[in-house]
Amino acid sequence: MAITPLPDPPSRADPSGFSDRADEFLGALPLFAEQVNETATAMQAAAVTAINAPGTSASSTTSLAIGTGSKTLTLAETGKAFAIGQFVIIARTAAPTTYLHGQITAYNSGTGVMTVSVGKTGGSGTYAAWTISLSLPQIALALSGNDEVTGPVRFAVQVRVGGDLLLDGASPSIQFGTSGLWTWAPATNAMAIGTSDKSAHRIYIDPSGQVNVHGQRGSQGNIQASGALRVLASFVGGYAISTYDVNNYTAVQFVRDVGGVAQQTGSITVSETGVSYNTSSDYRLKENLQPLAGAVERVLAVPARRFSFIGSADRIVDGFLAHEVAEAVPEAVQGQKDAMVDIGRATPPPQPAPIVDVRQDKAPVGWAWSATGEQDGEPVGTATPPVAPAPLAGIPQTQCPPGWSWTKTGEVEAYQSIDQAKLVPVLWAAVQELAVEVAALRAQLGAPA
């Protein structure tokens, strides 16, 4: 049966097309799996028949070293019915877990000389007593319905899936590398990537689409980048921040998505002598221009004060109170006077109950297993789920991890903040107003301008 090739997989090198290519790739997986299963089933049936036939079972005393690549050996028996293109396993007779697996590239039935392109091995060393048998290609998986693979599945080539890729079970996961990272589904519509013991994740995407990098689920992680860090908005009204090479003098650029068009709203730039914090002010971005009148009255309405912050009583500074500034220059203040925010306790969902009388290879990934006896000659035991994470106290409900319960325990003050740079236009206008008054007074007094 022909197997439909999978489309190109998504790549971080093409961020703009990542989502579309991911959707196409994952959408093709079911058809691929179905076709592979049908092909593998047919090949398995043929292989079982061939393996049991004397014509495709042989031995060899050729000295071979365990390793991949082209291997040539001479069969002890001639006239065998092997054929170029078949897959064989060359297993050490005394220890079959030491083996070479690959495809026959050359074979002479008269002399018994066979060449195999080895792609998979087990064990190590050099030996001279082998048993040769037909085998399935390494990629073949004879799966259907709810069949299970109890050992690792490895693909030496690109894998394409024509439909949905389902991770199911108590702790479904995909491992990258023999001892590397895992991808698993800790909650419905969520995905996490982390170490094999799953005690922490490298990346966690919760069901709402929030991304946490390098931290425990439910906690705030860190994002580290050795090069430029670029967070791009994908929706109207979204915000983005982008870092650039400091050699180009732009350290951070702030961008707002306006009607699907990226519009820069500000930046932080550096020079040989200092740092500038810039806000967009191009005349082409503005309309409804009017003179700023009454600036002196607005300045006089806001008292400038000297004070210390609680916790730094010995340090007196100059400044303002945010709610007083809000009366005169509201755009300079964030938050509301005397605002409060609810906080509470987040509790993780109950852990599943232990599973008794289960084989170790059937225990969910990440669960502890301890033997308790035997059934049908097989050891069985109890599988225990991982220890539940500790509850989180004193967090707003918006920070409650997905699937956890949240209970209000109190409230805390939500403080106002001020952008003092937004006071400059009012101060500037006040100076201009005062300058006009001074000039008028000078004229009345006959003083030179």
Side-chain angles (χ1 to χ4, degrees):
M1 176 180 179
I3 298 178
T4 303
L6 289 171
D8 293 332
S11 171
R12 288 181 293 180
D14 179 24
S16 63
F18 188 93
S19 297
D20 292 338
R21 291 174 68 180
D23 290 341
E24 183 181 4
F25 180 83
L26 293 176
L29 286 176
L31 177 61
F32 173 82
E34 179 181 353
Q35 293 175 341
V36 168
N37 287 338
E38 292 181 6
T39 302
T41 299
M43 294 183 67
Q44 185 181 45
V48 169
T49 300
I51 288 173
N52 293 328
T56 51
S57 178
S59 60
S60 176
T61 57
T62 301
S63 179
L64 294 174
I66 298 298
T68 58
S70 182
K71 302 285 184 179
T72 299
L73 69 161
T74 301
L75 305 184
E77 307 85 7
T78 59
K80 292 293 182 177
F82 291 104
I84 295 174
Q86 291 177 328
F87 283 81
V88 293
I89 184 165
I90 306 169
R92 184 184 173 197
T93 304
T97 54
T98 300
Y99 66 89
L100 303 138
H101 179 276
Q103 189 173 27
I104 300 173
T105 57
Y107 175 60
N108 187 318
S109 62
T111 62
V113 176
M114 175 185 292
T115 301
V116 178
S117 178
V118 177
K120 182 73 172 66
T121 65
S124 61
T126 301
Y127 306 97
W130 306 96
T131 298
I132 299 90
S133 306
L134 285 181
S135 175
L136 289 173
Q138 184 181 341
I139 195 173
L141 298 176
L143 303 178
S144 63
N146 293 321
D147 288 349
E148 297 181 359
V149 177
T150 58
V153 178
R154 295 179 173 88
F155 296 96
V157 296
Q158 189 179 75
V159 178
R160 299 172 184 264
V161 179
D164 295 335
L165 178 62
L166 174 64
L167 296 183
D168 201 0
S171 298
S173 63
I174 301 175
Q175 184 182 10
F176 297 90
T178 56
S179 59
L181 296 180
W182 290 74
T183 295
W184 76 100
T188 303
N189 296 325
M191 183 181 75
I193 299 176
T195 55
S196 58
D197 61 8
K198 301 179 178 64
S199 61
H201 64 263
R202 303 293 180 87
I203 299 176
Y204 174 57
I205 305 174
D206 72 20
S208 67
Q210 297 295 317
V211 179
N212 184 298
V213 179
H214 206 278
Q216 294 280 358
R217 270 185 284 144
S219 66
Q220 295 185 1
N222 302 314
I223 299 178
Q224 301 181 16
S226 58
L229 174 63
R230 198 177 285 261
V231 182
L232 302 177
S234 60
F235 52 90
V236 174
Y239 294 85
I241 181 170
S242 175
T243 64
Y244 285 78
D245 186 349
V246 293
N247 293 327
N248 293 326
Y249 304 107
T250 302
V252 178
Q253 182 185 48
F254 298 91
V255 179
R256 187 172 187 268
D257 189 332
V258 179
V261 177
Q263 184 179 99
Q264 179 176 325
T265 59
S267 64
I268 300 175
T269 57
V270 297
S271 68
E272 294 81 356
T273 58
V275 178
S276 297
Y277 300 88
N278 313 299
T279 297
S280 295
S281 188
D282 193 287
Y283 77 94
R284 292 167 294 182
L285 298 172
K286 303 175 182 180
E287 61 183 1
N288 301 322
L289 299 178
Q290 301 175 15
L292 199 166
V296 172
E297 288 78 5
R298 293 169 69 184
V299 171
L300 294 176
V302 181
R305 301 179 182 274
R306 287 182 59 75
F307 53 87
S308 63
F309 282 94
I310 297 173
S312 300
D314 58 341
R315 184 181 181 187
I316 305 299
V317 297
D318 303 324
F320 305 93
L321 299 181
H323 70 278
E324 293 178 342
V325 173
E327 296 295 328
V329 191
E331 63 269 24
V333 177
Q334 295 292 323
Q336 301 296 322
K337 183 176 182 292
D338 299 323
M340 305 293 289
V341 62
D342 293 339
I343 60 170
R345 179 182 176 87
T347 305
Q351 290 290 86
I355 304 174
V356 299
D357 296 334
V358 62
R359 284 169 35 191
Q360 186 172 11
D361 61 348
K362 296 297 184 181
V365 177
W367 288 36
W369 182 87
S370 58
T372 57
E374 289 189 359
Q375 286 185 2
D376 300 326
E378 296 278 353
V380 295
T382 299
T384 306
V387 177
L392 302 175
I395 65 171
Q397 189 171 9
T398 55
Q399 295 181 12
C400 181
W404 292 33
S405 60
W406 182 87
T407 304
K408 179 180 176 180
T409 58
E411 56 184 17
V412 295
E413 296 169 329
Y415 299 116
Q416 289 181 286
S417 59
I418 182 174
D419 180 359
Q420 298 189 76
K422 288 185 169 57
L423 302 180
V424 173
V426 179
L427 295 174
W428 192 280
V431 171
Q432 291 178 329
E433 291 178 5
L434 292 174
V436 171
E437 292 184 11
V438 169
L441 290 173
R442 283 179 176 275
Q444 291 178 10
L445 297 173

PDB file of all heavy atoms in Angstrom, residues 222-244:
ATOM      1  N   ASN A 222      11.196  32.219  34.098  1.00  0.00           N
ATOM      2  CA  ASN A 222      12.077  33.186  33.469  1.00  0.00           C
ATOM      3  C   ASN A 222      12.190  32.878  31.986  1.00  0.00           C
ATOM      4  O   ASN A 222      12.145  31.737  31.572  1.00  0.00           O
ATOM      5  CB  ASN A 222      13.471  33.127  34.098  1.00  0.00           C
ATOM      6  CG  ASN A 222      13.431  33.395  35.585  1.00  0.00           C
ATOM      7  OD1 ASN A 222      12.765  34.333  36.013  1.00  0.00           O
ATOM      8  ND2 ASN A 222      14.100  32.578  36.380  1.00  0.00           N
ATOM      9  N   ILE A 223      12.361  33.913  31.193  1.00  0.00           N
ATOM     10  CA  ILE A 223      12.625  33.758  29.773  1.00  0.00           C
ATOM     11  C   ILE A 223      14.029  34.281  29.516  1.00  0.00           C
ATOM     12  O   ILE A 223      14.340  35.420  29.837  1.00  0.00           O
ATOM     13  CB  ILE A 223      11.613  34.543  28.911  1.00  0.00           C
ATOM     14  CG1 ILE A 223      10.188  34.022  29.166  1.00  0.00           C
ATOM     15  CG2 ILE A 223      11.955  34.429  27.435  1.00  0.00           C
ATOM     16  CD1 ILE A 223       9.122  34.768  28.403  1.00  0.00           C
ATOM     17  N   GLN A 224      14.867  33.409  28.990  1.00  0.00           N
ATOM     18  CA  GLN A 224      16.236  33.796  28.711  1.00  0.00           C
ATOM     19  C   GLN A 224      16.506  33.617  27.223  1.00  0.00           C
ATOM     20  O   GLN A 224      16.079  32.643  26.625  1.00  0.00           O
ATOM     21  CB  GLN A 224      17.217  32.947  29.519  1.00  0.00           C
ATOM     22  CG  GLN A 224      17.008  33.054  31.029  1.00  0.00           C
ATOM     23  CD  GLN A 224      18.008  32.217  31.795  1.00  0.00           C
ATOM     24  OE1 GLN A 224      19.015  31.797  31.253  1.00  0.00           O
ATOM     25  NE2 GLN A 224      17.726  31.988  33.055  1.00  0.00           N
ATOM     26  N   ALA A 225      17.225  34.559  26.630  1.00  0.00           N
ATOM     27  CA  ALA A 225      17.557  34.487  25.218  1.00  0.00           C
ATOM     28  C   ALA A 225      18.984  34.962  25.028  1.00  0.00           C
ATOM     29  O   ALA A 225      19.362  36.008  25.545  1.00  0.00           O
ATOM     30  CB  ALA A 225      16.600  35.342  24.383  1.00  0.00           C
ATOM     31  N   SER A 226      19.767  34.154  24.320  1.00  0.00           N
ATOM     32  CA  SER A 226      21.153  34.542  24.071  1.00  0.00           C
ATOM     33  C   SER A 226      21.254  35.533  22.921  1.00  0.00           C
ATOM     34  O   SER A 226      22.253  36.217  22.773  1.00  0.00           O
ATOM     35  CB  SER A 226      21.996  33.299  23.759  1.00  0.00           C
ATOM     36  OG  SER A 226      21.464  32.617  22.636  1.00  0.00           O
ATOM     37  N   GLY A 227      20.217  35.616  22.109  1.00  0.00           N
ATOM     38  CA  GLY A 227      20.197  36.566  21.009  1.00  0.00           C
ATOM     39  C   GLY A 227      19.053  37.546  21.168  1.00  0.00           C
ATOM     40  O   GLY A 227      18.647  37.872  22.275  1.00  0.00           O
ATOM     41  N   ALA A 228      18.504  38.008  20.062  1.00  0.00           N
ATOM     42  CA  ALA A 228      17.391  38.956  20.113  1.00  0.00           C
ATOM     43  C   ALA A 228      16.128  38.263  20.596  1.00  0.00           C
ATOM     44  O   ALA A 228      15.840  37.143  20.217  1.00  0.00           O
ATOM     45  CB  ALA A 228      17.153  39.568  18.738  1.00  0.00           C
ATOM     46  N   LEU A 229      15.401  38.903  21.477  1.00  0.00           N
ATOM     47  CA  LEU A 229      14.122  38.394  21.980  1.00  0.00           C
ATOM     48  C   LEU A 229      13.020  39.190  21.317  1.00  0.00           C
ATOM     49  O   LEU A 229      12.991  40.410  21.382  1.00  0.00           O
ATOM     50  CB  LEU A 229      14.050  38.551  23.497  1.00  0.00           C
ATOM     51  CG  LEU A 229      12.710  38.193  24.145  1.00  0.00           C
ATOM     52  CD1 LEU A 229      12.394  36.720  23.937  1.00  0.00           C
ATOM     53  CD2 LEU A 229      12.723  38.538  25.627  1.00  0.00           C
ATOM     54  N   ARG A 230      12.082  38.484  20.678  1.00  0.00           N
ATOM     55  CA  ARG A 230      11.039  39.155  19.908  1.00  0.00           C
ATOM     56  C   ARG A 230       9.699  38.547  20.290  1.00  0.00           C
ATOM     57  O   ARG A 230       9.476  37.363  20.090  1.00  0.00           O
ATOM     58  CB  ARG A 230      11.310  38.976  18.420  1.00  0.00           C
ATOM     59  CG  ARG A 230      10.596  39.945  17.514  1.00  0.00           C
ATOM     60  CD  ARG A 230      11.013  39.686  16.080  1.00  0.00           C
ATOM     61  NE  ARG A 230      12.353  40.189  15.832  1.00  0.00           N
ATOM     62  CZ  ARG A 230      12.600  41.355  15.246  1.00  0.00           C
ATOM     63  NH1 ARG A 230      11.603  42.115  14.869  1.00  0.00           N
ATOM     64  NH2 ARG A 230      13.832  41.751  15.034  1.00  0.00           N
ATOM     65  N   VAL A 231       8.807  39.349  20.879  1.00  0.00           N
ATOM     66  CA  VAL A 231       7.464  38.914  21.245  1.00  0.00           C
ATOM     67  C   VAL A 231       6.504  39.716  20.394  1.00  0.00           C
ATOM     68  O   VAL A 231       6.352  40.919  20.597  1.00  0.00           O
ATOM     69  CB  VAL A 231       7.185  39.138  22.741  1.00  0.00           C
ATOM     70  CG1 VAL A 231       5.797  38.624  23.096  1.00  0.00           C
ATOM     71  CG2 VAL A 231       8.249  38.460  23.590  1.00  0.00           C
ATOM     72  N   LEU A 232       5.860  39.069  19.441  1.00  0.00           N
ATOM     73  CA  LEU A 232       5.037  39.771  18.462  1.00  0.00           C
ATOM     74  C   LEU A 232       3.560  39.547  18.730  1.00  0.00           C
ATOM     75  O   LEU A 232       3.136  38.426  18.993  1.00  0.00           O
ATOM     76  CB  LEU A 232       5.385  39.292  17.043  1.00  0.00           C
ATOM     77  CG  LEU A 232       6.856  39.483  16.644  1.00  0.00           C
ATOM     78  CD1 LEU A 232       7.078  38.897  15.262  1.00  0.00           C
ATOM     79  CD2 LEU A 232       7.226  40.947  16.655  1.00  0.00           C
ATOM     80  N   ALA A 233       2.780  40.629  18.668  1.00  0.00           N
ATOM     81  CA  ALA A 233       1.346  40.515  18.870  1.00  0.00           C
ATOM     82  C   ALA A 233       0.697  39.872  17.660  1.00  0.00           C
ATOM     83  O   ALA A 233       1.097  40.109  16.527  1.00  0.00           O
ATOM     84  CB  ALA A 233       0.748  41.898  19.110  1.00  0.00           C
ATOM     85  N   SER A 234      -0.315  39.055  17.878  1.00  0.00           N
ATOM     86  CA  SER A 234      -1.017  38.398  16.778  1.00  0.00           C
ATOM     87  C   SER A 234      -2.491  38.782  16.766  1.00  0.00           C
ATOM     88  O   SER A 234      -3.294  38.104  16.173  1.00  0.00           O
ATOM     89  CB  SER A 234      -0.878  36.875  16.898  1.00  0.00           C
ATOM     90  OG  SER A 234      -1.425  36.422  18.123  1.00  0.00           O
ATOM     91  N   PHE A 235      -2.849  39.870  17.450  1.00  0.00           N
ATOM     92  CA  PHE A 235      -4.247  40.276  17.473  1.00  0.00           C
ATOM     93  C   PHE A 235      -4.306  41.802  17.531  1.00  0.00           C
ATOM     94  O   PHE A 235      -3.388  42.471  17.994  1.00  0.00           O
ATOM     95  CB  PHE A 235      -4.977  39.695  18.689  1.00  0.00           C
ATOM     96  CG  PHE A 235      -4.291  39.964  19.999  1.00  0.00           C
ATOM     97  CD1 PHE A 235      -4.572  41.096  20.740  1.00  0.00           C
ATOM     98  CD2 PHE A 235      -3.346  39.070  20.478  1.00  0.00           C
ATOM     99  CE1 PHE A 235      -3.936  41.344  21.929  1.00  0.00           C
ATOM    100  CE2 PHE A 235      -2.710  39.312  21.681  1.00  0.00           C
ATOM    101  CZ  PHE A 235      -3.003  40.456  22.410  1.00  0.00           C
ATOM    102  N   VAL A 236      -5.400  42.345  17.040  1.00  0.00           N
ATOM    103  CA  VAL A 236      -5.567  43.794  17.000  1.00  0.00           C
ATOM    104  C   VAL A 236      -5.583  44.338  18.425  1.00  0.00           C
ATOM    105  O   VAL A 236      -6.265  43.811  19.296  1.00  0.00           O
ATOM    106  CB  VAL A 236      -6.870  44.167  16.267  1.00  0.00           C
ATOM    107  CG1 VAL A 236      -7.128  45.667  16.360  1.00  0.00           C
ATOM    108  CG2 VAL A 236      -6.787  43.720  14.817  1.00  0.00           C
ATOM    109  N   GLY A 237      -4.836  45.398  18.656  1.00  0.00           N
ATOM    110  CA  GLY A 237      -4.783  45.995  19.980  1.00  0.00           C
ATOM    111  C   GLY A 237      -3.739  45.360  20.865  1.00  0.00           C
ATOM    112  O   GLY A 237      -3.537  45.788  21.991  1.00  0.00           O
ATOM    113  N   GLY A 238      -3.042  44.326  20.381  1.00  0.00           N
ATOM    114  CA  GLY A 238      -2.036  43.674  21.195  1.00  0.00           C
ATOM    115  C   GLY A 238      -0.765  44.490  21.265  1.00  0.00           C
ATOM    116  O   GLY A 238      -0.554  45.434  20.510  1.00  0.00           O
ATOM    117  N   TYR A 239       0.099  44.115  22.156  1.00  0.00           N
ATOM    118  CA  TYR A 239       1.336  44.824  22.346  1.00  0.00           C
ATOM    119  C   TYR A 239       2.500  43.880  22.126  1.00  0.00           C
ATOM    120  O   TYR A 239       2.388  42.670  22.280  1.00  0.00           O
ATOM    121  CB  TYR A 239       1.405  45.426  23.749  1.00  0.00           C
ATOM    122  CG  TYR A 239       0.369  46.497  23.970  1.00  0.00           C
ATOM    123  CD1 TYR A 239      -0.917  46.171  24.369  1.00  0.00           C
ATOM    124  CD2 TYR A 239       0.673  47.832  23.732  1.00  0.00           C
ATOM    125  CE1 TYR A 239      -1.874  47.154  24.555  1.00  0.00           C
ATOM    126  CE2 TYR A 239      -0.279  48.825  23.910  1.00  0.00           C
ATOM    127  CZ  TYR A 239      -1.552  48.483  24.318  1.00  0.00           C
ATOM    128  OH  TYR A 239      -2.499  49.449  24.481  1.00  0.00           O
ATOM    129  N   ALA A 240       3.640  44.424  21.795  1.00  0.00           N
ATOM    130  CA  ALA A 240       4.814  43.608  21.550  1.00  0.00           C
ATOM    131  C   ALA A 240       6.044  44.350  22.016  1.00  0.00           C
ATOM    132  O   ALA A 240       6.058  45.576  22.102  1.00  0.00           O
ATOM    133  CB  ALA A 240       4.937  43.262  20.065  1.00  0.00           C
ATOM    134  N   ILE A 241       7.076  43.593  22.322  1.00  0.00           N
ATOM    135  CA  ILE A 241       8.357  44.176  22.680  1.00  0.00           C
ATOM    136  C   ILE A 241       9.422  43.423  21.910  1.00  0.00           C
ATOM    137  O   ILE A 241       9.359  42.203  21.764  1.00  0.00           O
ATOM    138  CB  ILE A 241       8.599  44.091  24.204  1.00  0.00           C
ATOM    139  CG1 ILE A 241       9.948  44.738  24.564  1.00  0.00           C
ATOM    140  CG2 ILE A 241       8.560  42.663  24.700  1.00  0.00           C
ATOM    141  CD1 ILE A 241      10.145  44.895  26.051  1.00  0.00           C
ATOM    142  N   SER A 242      10.368  44.137  21.378  1.00  0.00           N
ATOM    143  CA  SER A 242      11.366  43.514  20.522  1.00  0.00           C
ATOM    144  C   SER A 242      12.732  44.079  20.856  1.00  0.00           C
ATOM    145  O   SER A 242      12.896  45.291  20.997  1.00  0.00           O
ATOM    146  CB  SER A 242      11.031  43.785  19.050  1.00  0.00           C
ATOM    147  OG  SER A 242      12.045  43.290  18.207  1.00  0.00           O
ATOM    148  N   THR A 243      13.720  43.204  21.032  1.00  0.00           N
ATOM    149  CA  THR A 243      15.068  43.677  21.317  1.00  0.00           C
ATOM    150  C   THR A 243      15.883  43.693  20.043  1.00  0.00           C
ATOM    151  O   THR A 243      15.728  42.853  19.171  1.00  0.00           O
ATOM    152  CB  THR A 243      15.767  42.789  22.352  1.00  0.00           C
ATOM    153  OG1 THR A 243      15.942  41.489  21.808  1.00  0.00           O
ATOM    154  CG2 THR A 243      14.975  42.703  23.629  1.00  0.00           C
ATOM    155  N   TYR A 244      16.775  44.650  19.955  1.00  0.00           N
ATOM    156  CA  TYR A 244      17.640  44.783  18.803  1.00  0.00           C
ATOM    157  C   TYR A 244      19.091  44.862  19.280  1.00  0.00           C
ATOM    158  O   TYR A 244      19.373  45.169  20.435  1.00  0.00           O
ATOM    159  CB  TYR A 244      17.291  46.037  18.004  1.00  0.00           C
ATOM    160  CG  TYR A 244      16.038  45.905  17.198  1.00  0.00           C
ATOM    161  CD1 TYR A 244      14.783  46.015  17.798  1.00  0.00           C
ATOM    162  CD2 TYR A 244      16.082  45.628  15.842  1.00  0.00           C
ATOM    163  CE1 TYR A 244      13.623  45.879  17.059  1.00  0.00           C
ATOM    164  CE2 TYR A 244      14.928  45.494  15.090  1.00  0.00           C
ATOM    165  CZ  TYR A 244      13.706  45.624  15.699  1.00  0.00           C
ATOM    166  OH  TYR A 244      12.557  45.486  14.973  1.00  0.00           O
TER     167      TYR A 244
END
